[in-house]
Amino acid sequence: MADQGEQVKFQVHHIRFFEYQPQTINCIAYDEVTHRIALSRADATVEILNTKDNWYQEMVFPGNKDASVETLLWCQGRLFAGGISGNVVELDLVKKLVKKSVSANAGPIWCLTKNAEGSQIAAGTEDGCVTLFDVSDDDIEFSRGFGKQEGRILSIAWYNQDGVNIVITGGINNIRQWSVKSGQPISRMTLGRKFQKDTIVWCLAVTKDFTIISGDSRGIVTFWNGKESTQMKTFECHKADILSLCLSQDETKVYTGGVDSTLFQFTLHAADPVSERKRWVHQRLHSRHTHDIRALAYANDSVVSGGVDTLMWVTKVKGKQTVSEVAPLPPPGVCHVAKTKNLVQLQYQNYIEVWRLGAAKAPSAETRGMLPLIEKRIRLVRLDARDGHEILCNTMSNNGVIAFSDVRGVRVFSLLISETPTSVTLKKVKCTFAHPAHHLIFTSDGSHLVAVLITGSIQVIKVSTGEIHAFNRASESLIHRLTISPDDQHLAVATINHEVHIYSMKNYQHICSCPVQSSQVSALTFSPHSCVLVLAYCNHSIYEFDVVKKNYTQWSRENSESFGKNWLKPLRYIQNIAFSPGDPQKIIFHTSNALCVLDKTKPLPNLTLETKKTEKTVAVRCCYKYKYLLFADTTSDGMLVIVERPPSEIEDNLLPSFKQKKFGIS
């Protein structure tokens, strides 16, 4: 296959057989202190995204097919989760591990909330009990349980104003208020039934003036007077269950979403010019989701929504309304290419696959479009994690040595392939680290394996002997990217506090650090043509750092400031960087929807969303024919390997959506 933009031409292996399937978004939580979004998926995976850095995926806590995370809560910059395990779990955002887990002793946990001081959190449980936990002093301890009610508690909120300390819960057919002091219910608000079916209160919120807002299985949004426990106003705007709602920061707007995949906004307006009386008015925002909206959060003057269709929509509601998509991308490093063997390795949740790429006839200089295959792709091997555990990371050397880590440790295999007929011999290599790893990378010849262990240490092992050395780390901050130079002399790592450190592979000592930028590093790669580290940041800027001179290159000093903020599409970031083996002046990089080639020999004016498409901007060429683009890298013969997961193929694997009549047709 040939892919051509003006003056740029590549022969491309276009891979669409990676059956990566993102899972349903169960819940979303926003932290106003760190500006992070936490979301959980149906397989209990938890993702952390930085909303200030183009929604960069900072870290992923791997899930488990037998577990679930039904609720997330930020409290004093800490992240807590609850689910069917019945435990409140704190996630360690420094080591990317579970920090502590405490049982609620009342069955699965469906919802969490916190008091105004952030010193206590409350959980609503399957057994109908509210349980309190103390989370002060950087710890979490079970405090006590409230009186038990009939039926499960599915939604919860905490009113803690003017000396009034009340927890509000929603369940089957009713909303209750509980005294935190006594642990007993002090009022009950009953909801009507529709078609003689029980009414489930799926979501709750409470304002500072003690207005309680509920969304239920009838599709009705209800506003309650919390002081008098009376109903103020109802809106029957949704056509099915309302599964989630959220409040704006100033509490003048409420947003709701549910099974009908429609997002509504409720705004508090003055009833008339001469009165202080106010009323709620609703309007439809959009129906961009194709399936149930299960989670909502208010973040940075925007409403964040997610659900069964697996992706997030960010709806800016302050100023001019815009709606943008956050692609459901896997964590980095799920795809690898053996450059000299034409192999590609793909990571799924609990297994990896290795494929040999197909081959086509050599194209002529004028050839464009699809090339007929003379050899089809072949799946060579599938390697499963032990006991069905989740795979944390994987890698493959240029000559086809395989390594991956599950929660039990790192495993290494050599792959011996005979050509006629094609057969594979898999040989396990004794290569033992003391702990599992978050990141793995081979030297170019596969002789050494570098691991970032879950303890935070960086270690390198000689594959043939098992000899291990540890790097002298310059920073203990969590590492989220690493790369090795093609000559195997240097290792570079990027941390989530914007640091980039370079180490010697000879003596495992720190050599130097790159200047700290205001944006996060999203990708980094050593050039195969010189001792230069190329860095891409979440704001779409690109820098070159000369390791020998310990400074930016001349090109970088002249051009790196010309990349305007978000000159590529916002809410997307550069995921990978690659080089053409035969052209040191071209840098290849991609986001989830754009494949770009930067020609360093061409002038680079100030680049913005508007100017990048003009004829004057000849330094960067972008191709937008792919979506979602997960990986791009070159082989040793100059071919480009692209892994794409089209949204249509993800949608084909989803459950049927809520059926609605459109234009009079059912």
Side-chain angles (χ1 to χ4, degrees):
M1 174 183 176
D3 182 20
Q4 181 174 324
E6 185 179 349
Q7 300 179 354
V8 182
K9 189 172 182 179
F10 291 101
Q11 189 171 342
V12 177
H13 286 288
H14 186 189
I15 295 174
R16 298 178 72 172
F17 55 81
F18 181 28
E19 297 179 356
Y20 166 72
Q21 184 63 33
Q23 300 294 306
T24 293
I25 295 175
N26 275 354
C27 52
I28 300 173
Y30 175 65
D31 183 25
E32 295 179 356
V33 178
T34 62
H35 303 290
R36 286 169 162 175
I37 281 281
L39 70 89
S40 72
R41 297 190 180 269
D43 59 357
T45 298
V46 175
E47 302 173 17
I48 310 296
L49 297 92
N50 190 326
T51 65
K52 290 295 187 180
D53 249 341
N54 270 324
W55 297 73
Y56 174 68
Q57 189 187 74
E58 285 190 338
M59 65 185 83
V60 177
F61 293 84
N64 186 313
K65 59 183 176 59
D66 297 322
S68 79
V69 175
E70 301 296 332
T71 177
L72 291 167
L73 178 71
W74 290 97
C75 184
Q76 302 291 331
R78 300 159 64 190
L79 180 61
F80 298 91
I84 61 172
S85 67
N87 292 344
V88 174
V89 178
E90 182 177 0
L91 301 177
D92 192 325
L93 302 178
V94 176
K95 297 182 178 179
K96 207 166 74 170
L97 298 168
V98 172
K99 189 173 184 179
K100 192 170 183 180
S101 179
V102 180
S103 175
N105 301 309
I109 295 171
W110 301 114
C111 46
L112 290 171
T113 188
K114 63 182 177 181
N115 64 358
E117 298 82 13
S119 59
Q120 287 186 312
I121 61 176
T125 65
E126 174 74 16
D127 292 351
C129 185
V130 176
T131 54
L132 291 185
F133 298 83
D134 291 323
V135 293
S136 54
D137 301 324
D138 199 32
D139 198 5
I140 174 171
E141 292 182 353
F142 177 84
S143 176
R144 59 192 174 93
F146 288 4
K148 188 176 179 181
Q149 72 167 44
E150 293 180 5
R152 64 185 67 169
I153 295 173
L154 295 168
S155 51
I156 193 167
W158 199 318
Y159 181 75
N160 193 191
Q161 300 288 330
D162 303 322
V164 180
N165 203 3
I166 291 173
V167 169
I168 304 130
T169 62
I172 311 298
N173 298 322
N174 65 75
I175 298 171
R176 282 189 170 94
Q177 296 185 30
W178 302 77
S179 167
V180 175
K181 184 177 181 180
S182 67
Q184 296 300 316
I186 55 177
S187 75
R188 170 175 168 159
M189 295 167 280
T190 304
L191 290 85
R193 300 189 181 199
K194 191 173 184 179
F195 306 124
Q196 302 302 312
K197 292 183 178 179
D198 286 336
T199 297
I200 303 170
V201 182
W202 290 114
C203 47
L204 279 175
V206 61
T207 66
K208 292 178 181 177
D209 66 359
F210 211 176
T211 299
I212 299 170
I213 307 107
S214 65
D216 60 50
S217 57
R218 301 170 299 172
I220 295 177
V221 178
T222 307
F223 291 82
W224 307 82
N225 184 323
K227 295 177 182 177
E228 300 177 3
S229 299
T230 57
Q231 184 176 293
M232 296 164 51
K233 183 73 174 176
T234 62
F235 295 89
E236 195 169 353
C237 50
H238 288 273
K239 295 180 173 63
D241 301 42
I242 300 168
L243 302 178
S244 184
L245 64 81
C246 68
L247 274 168
S248 65
Q249 193 169 10
D250 61 7
E251 299 186 344
T252 61
K253 292 181 176 64
V254 176
Y255 301 91
T256 61
V259 173
D260 63 0
S261 67
T262 303
L263 189 63
F264 278 92
Q265 173 181 290
F266 299 81
T267 307
L268 190 61
H269 286 290
D272 57 72
V274 297
S275 171
E276 293 184 359
R277 190 168 59 89
K278 296 182 178 181
R279 62 176 181 173
W280 291 93
V281 178
H282 78 286
Q283 69 183 87
R284 177 179 170 275
L285 278 184
H286 67 75
S287 297
R288 297 294 182 94
H289 287 278
T290 60
H291 291 67
D292 306 11
I293 299 174
R294 293 195 174 182
L296 291 174
Y298 189 84
N300 296 343
D301 299 324
S302 299
V303 179
V304 186
S305 54
V308 175
D309 61 7
T310 76
L311 54 86
M312 282 196 301
W313 287 99
V314 179
T315 308
K316 184 182 177 183
V317 292
K318 189 173 182 179
K320 182 181 178 181
Q321 181 181 314
T322 59
V323 185
S324 305
E325 175 192 292
V326 179
L329 300 176
V334 296
C335 306
H336 294 277
V337 167
K339 292 179 178 290
T340 60
K341 297 289 186 178
N342 276 5
L343 305 178
V344 62
Q345 183 169 292
L346 307 173
Q347 175 186 321
Y348 292 86
Q349 185 175 31
N350 49 25
Y351 66 93
I352 61 172
E353 291 180 342
V354 179
W355 293 74
R356 187 171 68 183
L357 298 172
K361 291 183 179 179
S364 64
E366 296 77 21
T367 303
R368 294 183 63 179
M370 300 291 293
L371 299 176
L373 292 177
I374 57 176
E375 291 182 19
K376 292 185 178 180
R377 68 177 187 266
I378 301 175
R379 189 178 77 170
L380 299 177
V381 68
R382 166 175 163 162
L383 288 170
D384 292 276
R386 289 164 287 195
D387 302 324
H389 288 300
E390 294 69 43
I391 293 179
L392 304 179
C393 59
N394 79 99
T395 190
M396 181 166 57
S397 70
N398 289 336
N399 58 359
V401 184
I402 301 167
F404 69 91
S405 177
D406 55 25
V407 296
R408 292 177 56 184
V410 178
R411 305 175 75 189
V412 181
F413 299 88
S414 63
L415 200 61
L416 304 175
I417 306 170
S418 62
E419 297 298 328
T420 52
T422 301
S423 64
V424 179
T425 302
L426 204 62
K427 182 180 179 182
K428 186 175 180 181
V429 179
K430 189 175 181 181
C431 191
T432 306
F433 290 102
H435 301 278
H438 285 316
H439 302 280
L440 293 168
I441 188 168
F442 276 110
T443 53
S444 60
D445 60 0
S447 63
H448 291 76
L449 175 63
V450 178
V452 179
L453 303 183
I454 61 173
T455 59
S457 66
I458 308 173
Q459 296 185 4
V460 59
I461 189 168
K462 189 173 183 179
V463 175
S464 60
T465 64
E467 181 183 0
I468 296 178
H469 295 278
F471 284 82
N472 183 21
R473 284 201 61 179
S475 167
E476 296 303 316
S477 183
L478 179 67
I479 293 171
H480 68 97
R481 290 287 191 275
L482 76 160
T483 185
I484 287 180
S485 60
D487 61 4
D488 299 331
Q489 297 300 303
H490 301 101
L491 172 76
V493 301
T495 68
I496 63 170
N497 64 349
H498 302 197
E499 297 174 346
V500 178
H501 301 294
I502 300 171
Y503 299 88
S504 168
M505 288 289 292
K506 287 185 176 180
N507 58 18
Y508 316 115
Q509 298 296 311
H510 177 253
I511 297 175
C512 60
S513 300
C514 298
V516 175
Q517 301 289 338
S518 60
S519 186
Q520 182 76 269
V521 173
S522 62
L524 74 169
T525 305
F526 282 100
S527 169
H529 309 290
S530 59
C531 196
V532 167
L533 178 66
V534 180
L535 305 119
Y537 290 84
C538 290
N539 62 5
H540 304 155
S541 61
I542 297 174
Y543 286 79
E544 282 188 336
F545 186 84
D546 190 315
V547 178
V548 176
K549 296 180 180 179
K550 300 180 182 179
N551 201 351
Y552 288 131
T553 65
Q554 183 69 26
W555 177 90
S556 190
R557 290 195 296 271
E558 294 175 355
N559 294 280
S560 290
E561 297 298 326
S562 297
F563 292 97
K565 184 179 180 182
N566 297 339
W567 65 271
L568 292 165
K569 269 197 171 184
L571 276 66
R572 290 170 171 84
Y573 51 86
I574 296 172
Q575 298 170 239
N576 289 294
I577 304 170
F579 294 87
S580 174
D583 193 342
Q585 299 303 321
K586 286 187 171 65
I587 299 174
I588 305 165
F589 58 93
H590 74 89
T591 67
S592 63
N593 74 323
L595 178 66
C596 306
V597 178
L598 169 63
D599 189 339
K600 291 163 49 183
T601 65
K602 302 292 177 63
L604 185 67
N606 290 327
L607 218 52
T608 67
L609 273 170
E610 289 73 30
T611 63
K612 71 184 177 68
K613 295 182 180 179
T614 66
E615 293 182 2
K616 294 181 181 179
T617 310
V618 295
V620 180
R621 297 292 176 185
C622 296
C623 171
Y624 293 96
K625 66 179 290 184
Y626 305 106
K627 187 182 179 181
Y628 302 122
L629 191 53
L630 306 184
F631 177 80
D633 200 358
T634 55
T635 60
S636 57
D637 56 6
M639 287 179 141
L640 191 61
V641 178
I642 286 176
V643 181
E644 181 191 20
R645 183 59 169 164
S648 59
E649 296 184 12
I650 293 175
E651 293 170 9
D652 289 344
N653 294 319
L654 301 178
L655 295 172
S657 60
F658 178 71
K659 190 175 182 181
Q660 301 185 59
K661 289 185 179 181
K662 293 185 179 180
F663 307 108
I665 301 173
S666 61

